[in-house]
Amino acid sequence: MKNNRIILALKRFLDGDVSFEPKEKKVQQRRQTTHHETTVAERYVKWHDKNAYKVFRGFYIAASVVVATCIIGTLLFTVSYLPPYGQAENPANNEVTERYIEHAMEETGAVNIVAGVILDYRAFDTFGESCVLFVAACSVMMLLKKSKKGKREEMLEKYNPKRDPVVKSLAMVLVPFNLMLGIYVVLNGHLSPGGGFSGGAIMGASLILFSSAFGYRKVRTIITEKVVKVVTFVSLTFYAFAKGYSFFTGANHIHSIISPGTPGRIISAGLILPLNIAVGFVVTMTMYSFYALFTKEEI
């Protein structure tokens, strides 16, 4: 029997039914599991999503308390060194005030001493205030102009309803007179109480009244976002270069081509009149920009 099996195996080998090539070993596959060890980055992202707001809010509150405490402490420390109220030698009664009162009209050409101080002696202070208005308008523009186009169009239509005829009739009477009053206050700021800030506020209120009565589309035919930016930028640039020239010539005792003019005349007071006009434009554009952006999210 054993010999027969050997003969049969030899016969199968000769027929090609048997091969001596080594068989491939089956690689045992690892069992897949759902367990996954989280990495440091994944743990940080998970912690950030869960606790970031709390940490930021706590840091914000702590930083606010520290900053407010420092400011309050600095102010209290400064106030402790102020002289007692009512003494004759106080800084409020020094030679600066006396010079303003006695020589302001001669040196600035302005009958209104306040206009001479804020637009001549302290013109850069007023320039800083105008820049603050411009920066505030730009900030509001960047923050509020984020609505989607469809939503914005819907909001614009909401603020263009049918207007009340009574409001229209009153606006038709009041707006021209208000604009004339604002222009008068600006142009006479160096002769009487007024100036660019108050006159610009009156003209800005006139534009707001006109927009409320006749709709934003009527105002947009004249005042657009581009017009607001160009007018404000040109006014501030003119202000900076004009007073820069005035201060440079005065500090270096160089003859200035700008004359203070004759006190009491409308075309006088040197640069005070054009600076009042520039400030009036800035205030007007800023006021209307705030109104348009807070109500319609566009100018």
Side-chain angles (χ1 to χ4, degrees):
M1 291 293 295
K2 185 175 182 181
N3 293 334
N4 291 338
R5 285 167 34 188
I6 294 174
I7 293 171
L8 290 174
L10 181 61
K11 185 177 182 299
R12 291 175 61 191
F13 174 73
L14 293 175
D15 292 339
D17 296 336
V18 180
S19 176
F20 288 100
E21 293 180 1
K23 294 182 179 180
E24 296 181 0
K25 294 183 179 180
K26 294 183 179 180
V27 180
Q28 186 178 4
Q29 296 182 352
R30 294 182 178 179
R31 187 175 58 182
Q32 295 182 355
T33 60
T34 57
H35 176 70
H36 173 68
E37 186 176 353
T38 58
T39 61
V40 176
E42 291 174 341
R43 289 198 297 269
Y44 171 74
V45 171
K46 185 177 179 181
W47 175 88
H48 181 273
D49 294 339
K50 185 177 180 181
N51 302 312
Y53 175 74
K54 295 180 180 179
V55 173
F56 172 77
R57 191 168 183 274
F59 174 78
Y60 182 82
I61 294 174
S64 302
V65 172
V66 171
V67 173
T69 303
C70 292
I71 294 176
I72 294 173
T74 303
L75 293 176
L76 292 176
F77 179 76
T78 305
V79 168
S80 65
Y81 281 90
L82 291 178
Y85 179 77
Q87 289 189 0
E89 62 272 11
N90 283 354
N93 302 320
N94 60 15
E95 67 279 359
V96 176
T97 305
E98 181 181 350
R99 183 177 183 86
Y100 286 165
I101 296 174
E102 295 182 357
H103 301 281
M105 184 182 300
E106 176 186 353
E107 294 177 347
T108 65
V111 178
N112 183 5
I113 299 178
V114 176
V117 172
I118 65 175
L119 290 173
D120 192 282
Y121 294 117
R122 298 178 57 189
F124 274 161
D125 184 27
T126 306
F127 176 67
E129 296 171 2
S130 302
C131 289
V132 168
L133 293 176
F134 177 65
V135 172
C138 293
S139 301
V140 173
M141 194 177 299
M142 289 186 292
L143 290 173
L144 294 184
K145 291 192 64 177
K146 290 184 178 180
S147 297
K148 296 181 179 179
K149 187 175 181 181
K151 181 182 177 182
R152 182 177 299 172
E153 293 298 328
E154 181 182 351
M155 183 172 293
L156 293 179
E157 291 299 329
K158 177 182 176 182
Y159 281 94
N160 192 37
K162 293 183 179 179
R163 305 294 170 171
D164 190 342
V166 177
V167 177
K168 283 186 177 182
S169 301
L170 290 175
M172 290 178 63
V173 176
L174 293 177
V175 169
F177 285 101
N178 284 348
L179 287 174
M180 292 176 60
L181 175 62
I183 295 172
Y184 172 83
V185 172
V186 171
L187 297 181
N188 286 269
H190 59 292
L191 302 177
S192 60
F197 283 102
S198 52
I202 296 173
M203 292 188 289
S206 302
L207 292 178
I208 294 174
L209 176 60
F210 183 84
S211 178
S212 301
F214 297 98
Y216 75 98
R217 297 189 188 277
K218 295 288 186 180
V219 183
R220 286 183 63 183
T221 58
I222 303 173
I223 300 177
T224 61
E225 181 179 342
K226 184 177 181 180
V227 171
V228 171
K229 291 179 180 178
V230 171
V231 171
T232 307
F233 176 76
V234 171
S235 300
L236 292 176
T237 304
F238 168 76
Y239 194 115
F241 280 101
K243 287 312 299 181
Y245 168 80
S246 177
F247 281 148
F248 177 79
T249 55
N252 294 278
H253 304 286
I254 301 174
H255 175 70
S256 176
I257 61 175
I258 302 173
S259 172
T262 304
R265 293 186 178 181
I266 187 69
I267 306 298
S268 64
L271 286 173
I272 294 180
L273 176 60
L275 292 183
N276 261 329
I277 296 174
V279 174
F281 277 131
V282 173
V283 176
T284 302
M285 296 295 124
T286 304
M287 281 191 62
Y288 178 71
S289 299
F290 283 161
Y291 167 77
L293 289 169
F294 277 110
T295 55
K296 302 179 289 290
E297 297 190 0
E298 75 167 21
I299 298 175

